[in-house]
Amino acid sequence: MMSKPLIIAPRYRLDDEINWLEGIDPSRRYWLAVNGDRQSKVVIPGLCVTSSQELKDAILGLRGLQPQEKMVIKRPFGKLIIHCLSNNCYAIEGRVEGALTWHLFDKETIESLLLTGHPKWVPSPRDTELGRKLLELAFEQPAYAV
């Protein structure tokens, strides 16, 4: 009989000594310092729902994932893809310097991130500033005429 795989790769946890979570902006994007490196940041689309039932369905969907399964949460701009690697190891897809990466999380952390998708969740002033920062970056991009 084959036992469940033990994944010993480091993952983001709520009780980490390294401060990896920069914040969660008002549109529920997760701002991460990659491996705690403040010079290497990534913004990942998060869960944003309009009802408590949608939130419950997403949490139950996550809890129902089995190893090698994934859950896709579509957003107006992008999608959140969560891969279940083992009972307590999940990966969220992202891009770091253009390369596809998987950011590893334990179950408690990924559930906590998803809970910020609640319709009544209110971002802190610092998190609101992250949203403004993203808008500023968008305005710095060149406009293309078609």
Side-chain angles (χ1 to χ4, degrees):
M1 182 170 126
M2 184 178 215
S3 63
K4 295 181 181 175
L6 173 65
I7 297 177
I8 57 173
R11 59 198 85 169
Y12 299 116
R13 297 183 340 249
L14 292 175
D15 60 353
D16 270 342
E17 293 175 16
I18 299 170
N19 190 8
W20 54 269
L21 182 62
E22 293 285 314
I24 301 166
D25 70 27
S27 62
R28 310 318 198 270
R29 287 180 293 246
Y30 311 137
W31 292 64
L32 309 177
V34 179
N35 297 323
D37 179 2
R38 300 253 179 245
Q39 303 306 313
S40 181
K41 296 179 185 175
V42 66
V43 181
I44 298 172
L47 177 65
C48 188
V49 298
T50 57
S51 72
S52 296
Q53 186 59 48
E54 283 181 84
L55 178 64
K56 181 179 178 182
D57 292 345
I59 296 292
L60 291 175
L62 174 74
R63 290 179 180 170
L65 284 178
Q66 297 299 312
Q68 300 181 15
E69 292 181 340
K70 69 180 176 181
M71 180 168 110
V72 178
I73 299 170
K74 294 185 179 175
R75 299 275 315 245
F77 299 101
K79 58 188 167 188
L80 172 64
I81 301 174
I82 302 171
H83 299 266
C84 178
L85 304 178
S86 72
N87 289 337
N88 194 30
C89 187
Y90 297 84
I92 292 181
E93 289 185 10
R95 294 213 170 261
V96 175
E97 298 177 12
L100 180 63
T101 57
W102 281 13
H103 304 279
L104 303 181
F105 298 86
D106 66 5
K107 187 174 189 172
E108 179 184 15
T109 303
I110 202 128
E111 282 187 6
S112 295
L113 289 174
L114 292 180
L115 286 173
T116 64
H118 191 283
K120 293 186 179 178
W121 177 79
V122 178
S124 71
R126 183 173 173 260
D127 291 337
T128 302
E129 197 56 41
L130 290 173
R132 286 189 187 112
K133 184 177 177 181
L134 195 63
L135 274 175
E136 287 174 13
L137 291 173
F139 284 120
E140 291 176 6
Q141 299 299 316
Y144 296 99
V146 181

